[in-house]
Amino acid sequence: MSDNTKNITLNGLFWNALDRFGNQIIVTLVTIITSRILNEEDFGVIGVLMIFSTIATAFVDSGLATSLVRSKKVDELDYSTMFVFNLFVSIFFYLILFFFAPYIEDYYGIPNLALYARVLFLQLLIHAFGIVQYVKILKNFQFNVTARINVLAIFFSGIIVVVLALTGFGVWALLLQTVLYTLFRTAMLWYWGDWKLSTQVSMASLKHHSSFSLSFMVANMMGKALSPLYYSFIGKHFSIKETGYYYTGNKWGETPGMMISAIIQGTTLSTLTPIQDDYPRFLNACRKSMSSLAFVLLPVSLLAIAVARPGFSYFLTEKWLPSVEYFQWLCFAGFFISFADMNVNFLNIKGRSKYALGLEIAKFSLAIIALLLTYQHGIIYIVYGQVVVRILIYLATTVMSGKVYGYHFLSQMKDLGPSFLISIFAAVLAYLPLYFQLISHDLLLIICQSLIFVVVYVGINHLIGNAIWMEVLGMLKKKIAK
């Protein structure tokens, strides 16, 4: 990387990390409070509705946003075209879902589900108004602005959700969480953004970006719809309470991977676009990004797996212990989701959205086959099927990455291997106090396990002189010196 690209990337990583970690801290606190107050069925209701809002949101995003971010030249006409197109799409899908809501209620047999759906789907209309402002902020590398907006939006919406949960509003607290977050976020995007409202439309611009965005939209929709598809399917074939257990286990299991990979992907999409045609620099930047992802993601995920049982028991209460096994396996599967998504992110930067689409079709098809083969044996077998599918898809993305820009499977194993092996070793040692029941108090056990893990992971990386750790250490020393 050149010094300028490196500085922009590091700045982006810093603000994206602040954004995601700040966001996640608030989300975690809100989720812990609502999980302790609300019942399992309330979370099950949210789970069965997610498939509809996720697919509709993917259509509203339509891929035009990503196409604009990765484009080297964008004018005001491109922005206004995207705004008008996304607004019309959001209105169209909201009306479809509004009138389709009673049929959703009849299908699942859940009282008041039509009303819940119509309120939850309002996020589509609100979301469409903020996409252009968000894209323009990213194009200007204003990562500090997006961090400020996202954290404040989740903070304000989180306060209201907690108040609603504490005052007995039940499932409405969960339903309004997404709507309120989208409302606050959109309002602040307009307050801090600099795009001026325009309704001009260019068919040439729409056609140009559609060549990339159509493939991206379908791939994005299929990728995002996979987890909600499982919620929907489980909600139909199992009790709403069991759906709530799976929803909670999956939501927490996906959190480490989604949070950390989003930090790096959100930065690389903007910062690697200018060097996408410089093969050696681009490949080197991809390897550095993947290594950085592994260095942070693998230890966080494996530590979460090691402390899962006391963690769920202490923070969410024992009523959620049936979710623990789901969480652990899905957290493990999260490695492969994140690494696969990173490869797909690089493919999109290179303009190969059709490759990404092919991978998503393969993943979606395999997931459905695995689901049909496993669901009769219980939810845990559905989870095992998810793990297998995600490993296979990651392997497929390494083949595509090797073909397009030379980042082959063996190179990726070289970049991921050290962090994986050290994390596994640290997790095994951290699990021993739980295995031998050395500590009875859950919080003390979590602290003990975490200390063991951190000391082992950091200590080994320091001893072997891991390049990423040494770079982090150097940055910390410079900050302290200042």
Side-chain angles (χ1 to χ4, degrees):
M1 286 190 196
S2 66
D3 288 340
N4 185 51
T5 302
K6 183 177 180 179
N7 289 334
I8 293 174
T9 301
L10 289 175
N11 181 62
L13 286 172
F14 172 78
W15 284 109
N16 272 317
L18 191 64
D19 176 358
R20 298 294 173 174
F21 281 109
N23 200 302
Q24 192 56 50
I25 288 170
I26 298 170
V27 168
T28 299
L29 291 173
V30 171
T31 304
I32 288 172
I33 295 170
T34 54
S35 296
R36 296 174 72 95
I37 298 171
L38 305 178
N39 59 46
E40 300 89 329
E41 288 82 359
D42 292 333
F43 288 87
V45 169
I46 299 299
V48 299
L49 288 176
M50 280 190 66
I51 182 68
F52 304 101
S53 59
T54 299
I55 291 175
T57 302
F59 274 103
V60 173
D61 285 338
S62 70
L64 290 176
T66 302
S67 181
L68 291 181
V69 172
R70 64 168 297 277
S71 297
K72 294 180 179 179
K73 294 183 179 179
V74 178
D75 58 29
E76 292 301 314
L77 193 55
D78 291 318
Y79 288 124
S80 61
T81 298
M82 184 181 73
F83 174 76
V84 173
F85 178 79
N86 286 346
L87 185 58
F88 273 106
V89 170
S90 68
I91 294 172
F92 174 74
F93 275 99
Y94 181 75
L95 290 175
I96 289 177
L97 291 169
F98 183 91
F99 291 109
F100 190 65
Y103 299 100
I104 299 175
E105 182 174 322
D106 291 341
Y107 180 75
Y108 288 103
I110 300 173
N112 299 317
L113 194 62
L115 176 60
Y116 298 154
R118 287 168 173 170
V119 173
L120 180 64
F121 298 155
L122 284 172
Q123 65 171 302
L124 300 176
L125 299 175
I126 303 168
H127 176 67
F129 280 92
I131 297 175
V132 172
Q133 294 285 14
Y134 180 69
V135 168
K136 196 163 187 181
I137 289 170
L138 282 184
K139 291 289 289 184
N140 294 329
F141 304 119
Q142 294 175 292
F143 301 111
N144 59 323
V145 176
T146 60
R148 181 195 313 155
I149 289 171
N150 291 334
V151 171
L152 287 176
I154 199 65
F155 176 73
F156 292 135
S157 61
I159 290 176
I160 296 174
V161 167
V162 169
V163 171
L164 290 173
L166 289 171
T167 51
F169 279 85
V171 70
W172 283 106
L174 300 177
L175 286 166
L176 291 173
Q177 185 172 13
T178 304
V179 178
L180 289 170
Y181 168 75
T182 307
L183 179 62
F184 284 123
R185 185 174 181 272
T186 300
M188 286 185 280
L189 282 169
W190 277 92
Y191 181 78
W192 278 302
D194 63 357
W195 182 69
K196 305 302 179 184
L197 180 63
S198 172
T199 56
Q200 287 185 298
V201 176
S202 167
M203 294 308 297
S205 174
L206 188 60
K207 183 178 179 181
H208 169 72
H209 290 288
S210 293
S211 61
F212 171 89
S213 65
L214 183 61
S215 297
F216 179 85
M217 178 190 70
V218 178
N220 186 45
M221 179 188 68
M222 297 180 77
K224 288 184 176 180
L226 200 52
S227 286
L229 172 66
Y230 280 96
Y231 299 147
S232 178
F233 188 90
I234 291 171
K236 178 61 178 177
H237 294 279
F238 297 87
S239 72
I240 197 67
K241 187 172 186 178
E242 289 176 297
T243 305
Y245 287 136
Y246 174 82
Y247 173 81
T248 298
N250 187 63
K251 182 180 179 181
W252 287 101
E254 288 184 338
T255 295
M258 290 179 65
M259 177 181 65
I260 296 168
S261 60
I263 293 170
I264 296 176
Q265 287 187 45
T267 304
T268 56
L269 183 60
S270 299
T271 59
L272 298 190
T273 293
I275 62 171
Q276 60 183 285
D277 298 323
D278 189 332
Y279 174 81
R281 287 176 65 200
F282 183 78
L283 178 58
N284 181 60
C286 290
R287 296 193 66 172
K288 184 67 175 291
S289 299
M290 188 69 86
S291 299
S292 300
L293 174 62
F295 181 79
V296 181
L297 172 61
L298 290 170
V300 169
S301 298
L302 283 163
L303 174 58
I305 291 171
V307 303
R309 180 160 292 276
F312 270 65
S313 177
Y314 183 78
F315 292 108
L316 304 184
T317 71
E318 292 188 355
K319 72 179 180 182
W320 290 105
L321 286 180
S323 298
V324 169
E325 190 174 8
Y326 304 151
F327 165 82
Q328 290 173 318
W329 280 107
L330 292 167
C331 200
F332 176 75
F335 305 162
F336 302 99
I337 298 173
S338 298
F339 297 142
D341 285 349
M342 182 64 84
N343 281 324
V344 170
N345 189 46
F346 297 147
L347 290 171
N348 284 328
I349 293 172
K350 295 291 286 184
R352 303 300 181 89
S353 59
K354 291 182 179 179
Y355 282 28
L357 175 59
L359 288 165
E360 288 299 338
I361 291 173
K363 179 169 70 175
F364 206 81
S365 301
L366 287 172
I368 292 175
I369 292 171
L371 186 57
L372 294 175
L373 291 174
T374 57
Y375 84 95
Q376 292 180 333
H377 303 287
I379 294 178
I380 190 60
Y381 283 89
I382 293 176
V383 173
Y384 296 155
Q386 286 181 264
V387 175
V388 172
V389 169
R390 288 166 179 177
I391 292 173
L392 292 175
I393 292 302
Y394 167 65
L395 295 175
T397 64
T398 64
V399 174
M400 295 294 185
S401 295
K403 182 178 180 180
V404 174
Y405 55 95
Y407 197 11
H408 300 280
F409 173 75
L410 292 178
S411 297
Q412 295 200 25
M413 289 300 98
K414 183 177 179 181
D415 294 334
L416 304 178
S419 294
F420 181 73
L421 294 174
I422 298 170
S423 297
I424 286 287
F425 181 67
V428 170
L429 294 182
Y431 187 74
L432 294 179
L434 173 62
Y435 182 79
F436 290 108
Q437 300 181 347
L438 301 178
I439 302 173
S440 59
H441 192 279
D442 288 331
L443 181 58
L444 292 178
L445 180 57
I446 294 168
I447 293 171
C448 178
Q449 288 182 278
S450 300
L451 285 173
I452 292 171
F453 189 99
V454 171
V455 169
V456 172
Y457 185 75
V458 172
I460 293 177
N461 276 292
H462 193 77
L463 286 174
I464 66 175
N466 181 287
I468 297 174
W469 168 246
M470 290 304 172
E471 188 170 339
V472 170
L473 202 60
M475 291 173 60
L476 290 174
K477 288 180 179 179
K478 288 180 181 179
K479 292 287 184 182
I480 293 171
K482 288 181 180 179

